[in-house]
Amino acid sequence: MITFRDMPLRRKLIASILLTSVVVMLLMCGAFFAYELFAMRRTTVRQVSTLGEITATNLTGALAFKDPSDAQEILAALKAEHYVAAAAVYDEDGGIFASYPQSVAKDALPSSPLAAGYRFEESYLDGFQPIMERERQLGTLYLKFDTGVVMREWLWSSLWIASAAIAFVFIVAYLLSRALQKQIARPILDLGVTAQRISDRQDFSIRAAKHGQDEIGQLSDSFNEMLAGIEDRELALRAANDALRAENVERHQAQQQLARAQKMEAVGQLTGGLAHDFNNILGAIIGNLDIARENIAPESAASGYCDAALDAALSAAELVKRLLAFSRRQPLHPQATDLVEVVAGVKPLLERTLGEQVHITTASETAGWLAMADPVQIESAILNLAINARDAMPGGGDLRIELKSVTVDAIYASAAEDLKIADYVLLSISDNGTGMPPEIAARAFDPFFTTKAPGAGSGLGLSMVIGTVKQLGGTAKIYSEVGIGTTVQLYLPRALDAQPTRSSLQASEAAIGGNERILLVEDNAQIRGVSAGALGSLGYDVIVAENADEALRLIDDGLTFDLLFTDVVMSGRLNGIALARELRRRNADIHILLTSGFSSPISAGGDLGELEAAFMTKPYRKADLARRIRALLDEDKR
């Protein structure tokens, strides 16, 4: 059931007007009835008094001649007045002379006349009227008037009139209310409909229609002004929300980048530390194997075993290089490089390695740009990517190597995350193999991640590639789709104002020794023994020290040296670089060769500064060490 509160406004207005009209009419009828009731009592008394006077005058003769029948006839005439309930005539002695109606019992009438006048008693009005002849009272007239009859007749006639009036007023009020609600309720209803449309559509460009200059018109103006303000704020809020979303996307990308960088940095530190320790171990193994090969007859079985062990150790050293490449701690030699020549030089090797089932095509649009890169490492990266492409095309396919010149602007750099605004030479390697789903492609550059069977891959190929490229100042991207193929893009920074460096391979020289005095400082006992043995076998006078403090004590004892060969990372008060500086301060002519299981003095935690020193990465072969030391010692002779 709908309550008045829930009714539409137009119905409320009609109901209010009708209810008000009916209440007013009822109040007016009540007041009219009260007034009429009061006036009717006075009118009835006056009417009865007049009737009594007339009747008393008519009875004068009957009483004067003592004619009861005449008096009875006169009283019978009261029958025309149907509201007269009873009447009686008393003689001058107070006895009943005649009565009306005749059947009325004598005891129902007053036994004797009372004082003149009329009084109400319940629903009757009765009283006594003296019958006078000149100044003589001949008797008394008694009248009993039934006011209930009068009241009922009056009430029915009054109710009919009141009902007709109320009905008339109700109809007029209804018609008037309908006309008024169109003028009053319709603008308000229109305003409500407009508000509902705005709420449903969330469209604050809608405006309410204005119907006049009254309060509702002013309300419409205020409502439209409010809508205009909301619309402006909504547009501003939407713009701010879009900006916030874009900022959140950028922040999310930055957080992902940071998390990825932190993960890669953590893994890089771990792998770099592992590579350092492995290099120390491999240095001892390779050094001892080199010495053992020199002391074993080539035709003996032990020589074959020694060669196999040496090959395994060198393979392990190559794996360590990959770890260093991923951790960006490998020694690179970036130079202005023509990648067109690099690709052309590596293509024959790829054709032999990949087999006839893989068709290789190349394309170049570099516009003569040179890349700042290490040619050897780029060749290794191309070979790694090509082998991965071959594995993704087990039935053969197409391998395409493309070179392009690319300029990265601010918009592209922001979208590419780890690209800076600069010129790049873009090296792309594409295949039409099986491809990778997005979740696999996202992890392709992660270290130790591989989809190959256990033992079929180390998971360091792509991580070495991205480590090398990022160490050169570029980045790598991978795009792959299942069933379509994979493209790996290497962004290498452009080398400006430079000519391509052409390297010439010199024939390897035989290991040459000497008789100079060398100070060997190494805290690893195995490597210290191997290095001392190798240098001693070359004829050098080798003095060994376990740490920097022991080396300084030898110098303080008056020993002089032609060359310092020291490890960078050592236990004790001073590391190898600090020791080299101290010896350089004492002897400006001493030659210095640094070595470390890390790939460079910087990654080993040192800074060469103005120190003129050479560096050699562990593990090293005896022949390499001999050539390096001989080259340093012969510098003074050139």
Side-chain angles (χ1 to χ4, degrees):
M1 181 179 179
I2 299 178
T3 61
F4 180 79
R5 183 177 58 185
D6 299 328
M7 285 184 179
L9 186 60
R10 60 184 184 84
R11 291 187 180 180
K12 286 183 179 179
L13 182 60
I14 294 175
S16 299
I17 294 177
L18 294 180
L19 183 62
T20 302
S21 301
V22 171
V23 170
V24 170
M25 284 300 300
L26 289 176
L27 291 175
M28 290 178 62
C29 288
F32 171 74
F33 286 161
Y35 175 76
E36 284 296 317
L37 181 61
F38 176 74
M40 186 191 67
R41 292 174 67 91
R42 290 190 302 172
T43 302
T44 303
V45 172
R46 190 164 53 250
Q47 182 180 359
V48 173
S49 177
T50 301
L51 180 62
E53 290 177 358
I54 295 173
T55 304
T57 300
N58 292 334
L59 289 171
T60 301
L63 285 176
F65 294 102
K66 303 294 184 179
D67 187 357
S69 59
D70 188 22
Q72 193 66 45
E73 290 180 0
I74 293 173
L75 290 179
L78 293 175
K79 185 178 180 180
E81 303 293 337
H82 61 279
Y83 42 80
V84 176
V89 178
Y90 296 86
D91 57 16
E92 59 184 347
D93 295 329
I96 297 176
F97 185 72
S99 63
Y100 170 80
Q102 292 182 349
S103 60
V104 68
K106 298 296 183 181
D107 55 0
L109 299 173
S111 58
S112 61
L114 300 177
Y118 297 91
R119 63 197 61 83
F120 285 95
E121 183 178 354
E122 294 181 355
S123 62
Y124 294 94
L125 174 64
D126 59 359
F128 296 89
Q129 179 71 37
I131 302 173
M132 304 295 294
E133 183 183 19
R134 296 178 183 176
E135 294 182 0
R136 176 188 169 196
Q137 183 174 352
L138 298 178
T140 304
L141 174 64
Y142 169 72
L143 288 176
K144 187 175 183 180
F145 200 84
D146 188 356
T147 58
V149 176
V150 178
M151 288 291 293
R152 284 192 293 273
E153 291 179 353
W154 169 81
L155 182 60
W156 281 110
S157 61
S158 297
L159 286 176
W160 187 88
I161 295 172
S163 299
I166 291 175
F168 177 76
V169 170
F170 189 86
I171 293 173
V172 173
Y174 176 74
L175 296 175
L176 182 62
S177 64
R178 284 186 60 86
L180 290 176
Q181 67 91 15
K182 292 181 180 180
Q183 300 297 323
I184 298 175
R186 180 58 61 79
I188 299 177
L189 292 174
D190 290 345
L191 197 60
V193 170
T194 302
Q196 186 64 41
R197 286 172 56 201
I198 294 171
S199 176
D200 293 341
R201 301 180 185 179
Q202 291 297 305
D203 183 4
F204 295 100
S205 63
I206 300 174
R207 296 293 180 267
K210 185 176 180 181
H211 296 274
Q213 298 295 333
D214 56 358
E215 289 83 354
I216 299 177
Q218 296 175 3
L219 178 62
S220 298
D221 289 338
S222 301
F223 184 69
N224 289 334
E225 291 177 3
M226 179 186 68
L227 289 177
I230 294 176
E231 184 179 12
D232 293 341
R233 286 192 293 273
E234 185 192 26
L235 293 175
L237 181 61
R238 190 174 300 169
N241 189 37
D242 292 341
L244 182 60
R245 286 182 179 177
E247 183 179 349
N248 285 336
V249 170
E250 293 178 0
R251 184 181 294 112
H252 181 67
Q253 292 175 346
Q255 289 173 347
Q256 287 184 327
Q257 257 187 299
L258 178 61
R260 193 180 303 115
Q262 289 174 340
K263 180 184 73 172
M264 301 301 276
E265 179 64 23
V267 177
Q269 291 178 356
L270 174 63
T271 55
L274 290 174
H276 171 266
D277 294 339
F278 273 117
N279 276 336
N280 280 333
I281 296 172
L282 291 172
I285 294 173
I286 293 173
N288 281 294
L289 288 173
D290 275 339
I291 295 175
R293 289 176 73 247
E294 293 178 356
N295 295 281
I296 297 176
E299 64 277 2
S300 66
S303 178
Y305 297 143
C306 188
D307 289 340
L310 185 58
D311 289 340
L314 292 175
S315 297
E318 184 63 28
L319 180 61
V320 171
K321 286 184 180 180
R322 293 190 178 190
L323 290 173
L324 289 171
F326 162 71
S327 62
R328 305 183 202 176
R329 297 182 179 184
Q330 65 176 339
L332 295 181
H333 305 285
Q335 57 192 15
T337 304
D338 187 350
L339 293 185
V340 176
E341 293 185 0
V342 173
V343 171
V346 79
K347 185 178 178 181
L349 175 61
L350 294 179
E351 292 173 343
R352 292 192 301 270
T353 303
L354 303 182
E356 297 179 354
Q357 289 182 316
V358 178
H359 180 250
I360 304 174
T361 58
T362 60
S364 176
E365 299 178 7
T366 60
W369 286 11
L370 303 179
M372 186 58 68
D374 185 331
V376 176
Q377 297 298 333
I378 296 302
E379 288 180 358
S380 177
I382 295 174
L383 182 60
N384 262 305
L385 295 174
I387 292 174
N388 283 341
R390 179 200 62 188
D391 294 341
M393 300 182 293
D398 295 326
L399 178 70
R400 183 173 178 82
I401 304 176
E402 295 182 83
L403 291 170
K404 292 183 180 180
S405 55
V406 175
T407 298
V408 174
D409 56 13
I411 298 177
Y412 190 82
S414 62
E417 297 182 358
D418 52 356
L419 272 179
K420 299 179 180 179
I421 301 174
D423 292 334
Y424 295 89
V425 177
L426 177 60
L427 171 61
S428 299
I429 300 179
S430 305
D431 65 67
N432 58 351
T434 57
M436 294 179 285
E439 63 273 12
I440 299 298
R443 300 183 58 192
F445 289 123
D446 289 353
F448 309 110
F449 176 77
T450 179
T451 58
K452 299 178 181 179
S458 65
L460 289 173
L462 288 180
S463 63
M464 183 192 72
V465 171
I466 193 171
T468 299
V469 175
K470 288 196 171 185
Q471 192 172 353
L472 291 169
T475 191
K477 302 289 182 182
I478 186 168
Y479 305 93
S480 186
E481 187 173 348
V482 176
I484 302 299
T486 302
T487 297
V488 178
Q489 296 180 335
L490 306 183
Y491 288 83
L492 298 166
R494 178 187 180 186
L496 301 176
D497 301 329
Q499 295 295 325
T501 303
R502 304 186 182 276
S503 57
S504 57
L505 297 177
Q506 297 178 354
S508 57
E509 302 173 359
I512 302 175
N515 56 6
E516 289 88 352
R517 178 177 290 175
I518 297 176
L519 175 59
L520 171 62
V521 185
E522 172 63 62
D523 60 349
N524 187 295
Q526 292 178 328
I527 296 180
R528 185 170 63 245
V530 170
S531 299
L535 293 175
S537 66
L538 293 172
Y540 293 109
D541 181 12
V542 182
I543 308 296
V544 298
E546 185 176 350
N547 52 46
D549 292 331
E550 184 177 345
L552 291 176
R553 282 196 298 271
L554 293 173
I555 295 174
D556 291 338
D557 290 341
L559 293 177
T560 59
F561 301 94
D562 299 295
L563 182 141
L564 170 65
F565 181 39
T566 179
D567 189 14
V568 174
V569 180
M570 292 188 300
S571 59
R573 183 172 55 90
L574 301 176
N575 63 14
I577 294 179
L579 173 63
R581 286 201 181 95
E582 178 63 21
L583 264 64
R584 177 71 73 197
R585 185 182 65 81
R586 299 186 182 190
N587 182 5
D589 296 330
I590 191 170
H591 299 282
I592 298 173
L593 176 60
L594 303 175
T595 185
S596 175
F598 290 109
S599 58
S600 69
I602 304 300
S603 58
D607 184 7
L608 295 180
E610 300 298 326
L611 181 65
E612 295 181 2
F615 182 80
M616 192 170 190
T617 304
K618 297 177 183 178
Y620 43 78
R621 304 289 302 276
K622 176 183 176 181
D624 295 333
L625 177 61
R627 284 192 292 270
R628 198 66 178 273
I629 288 181
R630 191 67 259 163
L632 287 174
L633 293 173
D634 290 343
E635 285 182 354
D636 294 338
K637 300 176 181 179
R638 298 174 185 170

